[in-house]
Amino acid sequence: MVKAKKYIFEKQFVGLPKATDLKLVEEELPPIKDGEFLTEAVYLSVDPYMRAYAPTVKLGTTFIGSQVAKVLESKNSKYPVGKYVVGEFGWRTHTIVDDTPNPRGFPSAWLIPDPEGLPLSLSLGVLGMTGNTAYFGLLEICKPQPGETVVVSGAAGAVGSIVGQIAKIKGCTVIGIAGSDEKGKWLVNDLKFDTFLNYKDKDFGQKLVQATPKGVDCYFDNVGGQLSTKILNRMNLFGRASVCGAISGYNDKDDAKADAVQFPLVFKQLKMEGFLVHRWMDRWFEGIAQNKNWIKEGKLKYRETVTEGFENMFQAFVEMLQGANTGKAVVKV
């Protein structure tokens, strides 16, 4: 018998999640049946969407999330022993998977393509859902053109840092917005963003105007709130805004309050579109392959904030929500 550890969602989050909202328990797993396979978590992901989705998660169930896992035992020929998969198995160490699509119709797991020497953990980041969120969310919705100005909020996070680099690859001027000067140095010096703006700066509005003398053509929004309204008001006629998230209001809804966006939307005839990355599930490996090629060509860089130990999942989750991570936040089991 295999013993699995898992985090049970005990209480709905109120404000910033508390350790008592989750409970770490053990369970014994039964032998696998025909068509099933047993996995062991190697890396787990912590992401802002987990906080946003929490109100929809049933109490008493395993908390949500994806992981890189190794196949330990298999009675399914598509998932041989020793292979690595990415699966939305939640916060747990061992999982029996039956290869049935989840309720949203997406695969329960997908085999990781040859990482070609790159870390397996990247399959939770730039070579996985995070990278595809940046790739499709920017290119399919904003459709940036050479010479245009692209603004990215949450620019030092897992998605934003990739978005800005792809925009640079496409020949755009890129302004990254984040919350610390240390992150700003990384964006400009390492990732080659053209400009960094600190949203905590009391003169942010004035500096945004100075940084965008030609206005803003594309906005990739990870943050929401009044910050996003200020950026929308700087956009050019027929500008495009891709809305990925609104982390400013995940823990405190008051922080997400903002002036109406309808004025710039109407008078500047903007296109503002929200998305979920699984819209492009049929092109999933296209995004992974392209991001991998850009990494190999030296055009796309990544950074991970790695927390050691399954018992530290909650700590990694809260620190990510507070902006302590640079790049993708993962937990190594």
Side-chain angles (χ1 to χ4, degrees), residues 2-314:
V2 173
K3 282 192 173 182
K5 295 180 180 179
K6 62 181 182 178
Y7 284 86
I8 298 297
F9 192 36
E10 290 271 289
K11 300 176 185 176
Q12 280 291 347
F13 301 142
V14 177
L16 189 70
K18 298 180 285 294
T20 52
D21 295 333
L22 298 165
K23 184 179 181 181
L24 181 58
V25 301
E26 285 190 355
E27 69 171 346
E28 285 193 355
L29 299 181
I32 63 171
K33 302 173 184 176
D34 288 342
E36 295 181 336
F37 56 100
L38 172 68
T39 66
E40 180 179 48
V42 181
Y43 293 97
L44 294 102
S45 183
V46 287
D47 301 282
Y49 81 83
M50 297 173 180
R51 179 63 183 87
Y53 276 62
T56 70
V57 179
K58 185 178 178 181
L59 295 180
T61 62
T62 304
F63 195 61
I64 57 174
S66 58
Q67 60 178 255
V68 168
K70 185 177 183 179
V71 179
L72 297 183
E73 187 180 349
S74 180
K75 292 186 178 181
N76 186 319
S77 59
K78 292 190 291 184
Y79 299 93
V81 171
K83 292 290 186 179
Y84 290 89
V85 300
V86 171
E88 294 186 14
F89 305 151
W91 289 16
R92 54 184 301 130
T93 58
H94 297 78
T95 308
I96 293 175
V97 189
D98 65 6
D99 198 26
T100 302
N102 67 25
R104 293 175 291 167
F106 308 133
S108 56
W110 49 269
L111 287 166
I112 295 176
D114 182 2
E116 301 179 43
L118 295 169
L120 280 170
S121 55
L122 297 189
S123 293
L124 297 174
V126 65
L127 300 183
M129 182 170 69
T130 299
N132 279 350
T133 299
Y135 178 83
F136 292 111
L138 177 68
L139 299 182
E140 294 297 319
I141 294 178
C142 284
K143 300 184 185 298
Q145 301 301 309
E148 290 190 324
T149 298
V150 177
V151 173
V152 185
S153 60
V159 173
S161 59
I162 301 169
V163 169
Q165 292 182 83
I166 294 176
K168 288 297 297 179
I169 291 169
K170 295 300 179 179
C172 300
T173 297
V174 179
I175 291 93
I177 300 171
S180 77
D181 292 341
E182 181 181 354
K183 290 180 178 180
K185 290 177 183 177
W186 176 59
L187 293 175
V188 173
N189 296 338
D190 294 355
L191 305 191
K192 306 307 178 185
F193 281 49
D194 295 281
T195 305
F196 157 70
L197 297 176
N198 190 329
Y199 70 85
K200 297 176 183 176
D201 194 317
K202 63 180 182 179
D203 297 322
F204 172 81
Q206 180 182 343
K207 291 184 176 180
L208 174 65
V209 172
Q210 293 171 348
T212 57
K214 297 180 181 179
V216 176
D217 300 293
C218 301
Y219 173 42
F220 195 97
D221 186 9
N222 289 303
V223 172
Q226 185 65 14
L227 173 71
S228 290
T229 301
K230 289 179 180 179
I231 296 165
L232 291 172
N233 278 301
R234 281 295 297 160
M235 295 193 76
N236 293 325
L237 194 64
F238 302 117
R240 293 89 68 200
S242 178
V243 182
C244 178
I247 195 171
S248 67
Y250 289 169
N251 295 312
D252 187 345
K253 291 183 179 179
D254 286 341
D255 287 343
K257 292 180 179 178
D259 295 336
V261 300
Q262 284 82 355
F263 296 106
L265 280 174
V266 172
F267 292 110
K268 298 187 179 186
Q269 302 185 66
L270 307 178
K271 183 183 84 167
M272 186 176 185
E273 183 176 346
F275 72 95
L276 298 174
V277 68
H278 291 98
R279 181 196 304 190
W280 296 282
M281 199 73 222
D282 61 331
R283 297 170 59 190
W284 199 254
F285 294 101
E286 171 196 326
I288 292 172
Q290 180 60 80
N291 285 336
K292 185 190 294 182
N293 285 339
W294 280 331
I295 290 173
K296 290 162 64 178
E297 292 169 359
K299 295 178 180 178
L300 189 59
K301 298 180 181 180
Y302 61 86
R303 183 179 288 187
E304 296 178 300
T305 298
V306 181
T307 300
E308 299 270 353
F310 184 72
E311 68 279 6
N312 293 318
M313 283 290 300
F314 180 78

